[in-house]
Amino acid sequence: MRITSVFLLLLIFSLALPAMAIPNQETEAQREARMKWWTEARFGMFIHWGLYALPARHEWVKQYEAITEEDYQQYFDHFNPDLYNPKEWARLAKAAGMKYFVVTTKHHEGFCLWDSKYGDYKATKTPYGKDLIKPMVEAFRAEGLRVGFYHSLIDWHHPEYPVDKKHPMFNNLEFRKTAANRDVRKYAEYLHNQVRELLTEYGPIDCLFMDFSFPGENGKGRNDWQSEKLLKMIRELQPQIIVDDRLDLLDVPGGWDYRTPEQFMPQEWLKVDGKRVPWETCQTFSGSWGYHRDEATWKSVRQLVVMLVEVVSKGGNLLLNVGPTARGTFDERAKERLEGIGAWMEGHSRSIYGCTQAPDEFKTPQNCLLTYNPTAKRLYVHVLEWPMGALFLDGFAGHVAYAQLLNDASEVKFIDQSRAGEIGFFTEERKGEKGNAIILRLPVPPPAVTVPVVELFLK
Ligand code: GLC
C-alpha cells in the first residue's frame, strides 16, 4: 500500500515537474548539432503574407491608421489570391540560393493562412476558400528547402486579446471600455492551440519565429503568452525545431536558439555574456514586410549580395523577406532582386554555404569582406572595390597554397611580402620589411560579376 502511494506520488511528481520548466538537458555540442543545417544554410526567405497585402501599405496598416475591425473586414471579404502558385515561389527561392523559408502563418492582424479549427478568421473562409500553408510547405519541401513558420504572439483580431499600447484601438477610449474584460488567459489558450495545430499537421517544422514580446506598462510578455509552457510544448512536439528569441525568455536556459537583429547590420558577431551566439538578421527588400505598392526604398541586387556576404562574414544568417501581392504573386521588383542574387549565388555560393567569420589572424583587407569555410579550409576574399592590379592581404603569408577567382576558377598569382620590394609594391620605408602579408596580382578589369571573389586554398 505504502509502496503504491509512494509510486503514485512519484508519478504525479514526474508528470508535474516538466510542466514547470523548459527541458534543457542539451549540451552545447548537441545544440550545435541540432542547428548545424541552419548555420550552414546561411540564407533563407521570409514571407509576409496576409490581408494587409490588399491595402498594400505596410503590414501594420491596421495599427498605423487605427482601422476598426469593421473597416478592416473589407480586406477579408476581398481576399482572393487567384494567381497563387507556391511552386513558383519555391522555385524562385531556390534559384536565389535560399535554403529555408519562414512564412507568416498569422501576423499581428490575426488572419490565419491555414484552416485552423480554432477560429473563422482564416483563408478558407475568404472568397479564396483554400488552405494556403499546406501547398506552400509541400512546394518548398519539394525544392529541398527547410520549412519555418512565423507566428504572431500579438493578435489585433481576437476578441479576448487585451488592448495594449501596440493595438490599433489603443487610443480609442470607447473601444477600450468595451474591451475591458478581455481575458489574456483565454487568448493564450487560443495561441497555444494554434501553435500545436501548426506543429502537428504539417510534418516536421524546422524553425519557428514567434513575434514578439514587449513587456512593461501596457505591453505583453512571457506571463501573457505563458511563454515557458508554450516553448515546452513546442520542443516536445518538434524536438529538432529551431526557435527565435522573441518569447521574452532571454534569461531562461533553453529559452531561445538564436538572436534576431531586425533591419540593421550588427557591428560584429552577436555575443551574449561575452560568448558568440547564433544569429539571424531579417531584412526587407524595401521598407515594408507586407507587400507595399508605393514604397520606393528598394535595395539593389548589389546591396543585397553585399549584405548577405557581410552577415556571413560575421557568422550570421540572412532571412530576406518577400511580401507577395494579393493576387498571390511576387512582384517584378522582388523577382528582379531574387534573380540577381541567384545569378551571383550560382557562381559564388561556395563562399556562403558552410562559411563563417574568418579566424582573427587574417585581417580583412581594405574594401573587402572575408568569409571562411573551416571544413574545406578555404578563405573567400570578397572584393567590394576592385583595386588596381594588386590586393594586399595582411596576415596571410605562409597560409595560402593556391588562389583563384571564384567565378571562373582562373588562377590568381601571388607573392609574399618578403619579396614585395623587388617589384615596387612598397614605399621606400617598408621595402625591407619582413611581414606576413601576401600580394595578389589581380587582372586590371574586374570579373563581370556583382561582387568578385578570390578563393584562397589554405595550407
Ligand atoms: C516586427 C514587426 C513585423 C515583422 C517582424 C519581422 O516585429 O512587428 O511586422 O513581421 O518584425 O521580424
Side-chain angles (χ1 to χ4, degrees):
M1 183 65 187
R2 220 190 235 161
I3 291 175
T4 326
S5 50
V6 168
F7 176 75
L8 267 178
L9 262 177
L10 274 176
L11 184 72
I12 291 166
F13 191 64
S14 67
L15 283 176
L17 195 62
M20 291 185 280
I22 299 157
N24 184 42
Q25 296 95 355
E26 231 180 14
T27 63
E28 195 61 27
Q30 284 168 329
R31 190 175 79 138
E32 265 171 35
R34 175 165 59 85
M35 295 185 68
K36 187 166 184 277
W37 74 263
W38 184 87
T39 31
E40 287 182 351
R42 290 302 183 211
F43 190 28
M45 175 181 277
F46 218 170
I47 299 176
H48 274 68
W49 204 30
L51 300 181
Y52 44 78
L54 282 88
R57 49 184 195 272
H58 206 278
E59 77 284 354
W60 276 64
V61 63
K62 192 177 185 188
Q63 197 264 8
Y64 286 175
E65 299 177 15
I67 301 177
T68 62
E69 202 50 54
E70 295 70 43
D71 287 345
Y72 206 73
Q73 182 61 27
Q74 59 182 323
Y75 305 128
F76 184 93
D77 295 340
H78 291 93
F79 185 80
N80 194 1
D82 58 330
L83 300 180
Y84 175 48
N85 177 5
K87 289 191 182 139
E88 175 65 2
W89 294 12
R91 193 191 63 73
L92 288 164
K94 180 169 186 179
M98 290 153 162
K99 294 281 195 185
Y100 60 106
F101 86 111
V102 179
V103 61
T104 54
T105 46
K106 177 191 86 166
H107 202 261
H108 309 335
E109 63 178 2
F111 177 67
C112 300
L113 270 62
W114 80 106
D115 189 17
S116 174
K117 60 173 174 285
Y118 297 101
D120 287 331
Y121 203 52
K122 55 185 179 183
T124 45
K125 294 281 181 185
T126 64
Y128 184 69
K130 284 177 271 180
D131 176 8
L132 299 163
I133 295 296
K134 192 154 190 285
M136 202 186 303
V137 166
E138 281 168 3
F140 279 81
R141 267 198 203 121
E143 289 285 4
L145 278 84
R146 299 271 193 156
V147 179
F149 289 156
Y150 164 110
H151 196 73
S152 178
L153 297 159
I154 296 167
D155 195 310
W156 299 329
H157 174 80
H158 197 275
E160 293 292 350
Y161 184 90
V163 178
D164 54 40
K165 64 180 174 193
K166 306 261 184 214
H167 196 281
M169 294 295 109
F170 185 62
N171 293 319
N172 182 333
L173 298 182
E174 273 311 300
F175 184 90
R176 277 169 68 176
K177 262 189 231 155
T178 65
N181 292 326
R182 292 181 171 204
D183 183 351
V184 77
R185 285 166 306 180
K186 290 193 184 142
Y187 170 67
E189 192 185 329
Y190 169 77
L191 172 70
H192 290 215
N193 280 337
Q194 289 204 322
V195 171
R196 184 180 316 102
E197 196 172 43
L198 287 166
L199 298 186
T200 45
E201 291 184 15
Y202 295 93
I205 303 303
D206 303 291
C207 20
L208 188 64
F209 195 120
M210 302 299 295
D211 192 39
F212 63 80
S213 302
F214 50 111
E217 203 188 339
N218 289 316
K220 285 193 178 64
R222 66 174 89 180
N223 295 332
D224 302 288
W225 323 126
Q226 296 176 32
S227 296
E228 295 206 39
K229 191 175 159 208
L230 181 58
L231 186 54
K232 179 178 171 290
M233 177 187 78
I234 292 166
R235 298 230 191 265
E236 274 168 9
L237 293 173
Q238 301 265 352
Q240 295 305 310
I241 204 164
I242 296 172
V243 185
D244 75 333
D245 61 346
R246 296 187 181 181
L247 279 160
D248 188 22
L249 296 174
L250 285 181
D251 56 342
V252 174
W256 53 278
D257 287 323
Y258 64 100
R259 302 304 314 265
T260 56
E262 173 180 328
Q263 296 280 46
F264 72 92
M265 179 64 69
Q267 293 293 305
E268 57 170 13
W269 192 324
L270 263 74
K271 291 184 190 134
V272 173
D273 300 330
K275 256 189 71 194
R276 287 173 172 178
V277 293
W279 65 277
E280 172 192 76
T281 180
C282 45
Q283 303 275 348
T284 52
F285 285 143
S286 72
S288 172
W289 299 91
Y291 175 64
H292 197 313
R293 185 189 56 205
D294 303 329
E295 223 278 320
T297 62
W298 282 69
K299 298 167 185 82
S300 68
V301 168
R302 186 186 146 82
Q303 279 177 301
L304 294 161
V305 167
V306 172
M307 181 192 277
L308 174 61
V309 174
E310 186 169 353
V311 165
V312 178
S313 80
K314 295 171 179 174
N317 280 23
L318 175 64
L319 190 62
L320 193 54
N321 180 74
V322 178
T325 70
R327 293 295 299 276
T329 54
F330 288 3
D331 80 333
E332 288 310 317
R333 296 166 295 184
K335 274 198 219 160
E336 197 240 327
R337 266 77 181 173
L338 289 171
E339 278 157 14
I341 297 168
W344 183 82
M345 282 293 274
E346 203 182 329
H348 300 87
S349 61
R350 228 150 76 191
S351 73
I352 300 294
Y353 302 144
C355 289
T356 187
Q357 183 165 321
D360 290 343
E361 70 233 51
F362 300 102
K363 296 202 186 62
T364 304
Q366 272 179 13
N367 299 321
C368 292
L369 288 167
L370 288 182
T371 65
Y372 171 61
N373 186 320
T375 318
K377 288 215 169 54
R378 293 184 200 175
L379 261 175
Y380 295 95
V381 187
H382 301 77
V383 189
L384 306 183
E385 272 309 317
W386 198 250
M388 227 307 288
L391 184 65
F392 184 81
L393 303 176
D394 207 0
F396 290 56
H399 289 295
V400 181
Y402 186 75
Q404 63 183 14
L405 291 181
L406 185 51
N407 59 292
D408 63 358
S410 59
E411 183 182 6
V412 174
K413 295 273 208 181
F414 62 93
I415 50 170
D416 64 37
Q417 194 193 347
S418 51
R419 289 173 46 224
E422 293 164 24
I423 53 164
F425 274 115
F426 287 96
T427 53
E428 189 59 29
E429 300 81 71
R430 294 192 67 180
K431 206 171 161 188
E433 204 178 293
K434 283 244 184 271
N436 62 352
I438 64 170
I439 291 157
L440 298 177
R441 306 179 75 170
L442 297 175
V444 172
V449 295
T450 306
V451 175
V453 181
V454 182
E455 184 175 45
L456 304 175
F457 296 70
L458 300 186
K459 284 181 184 159

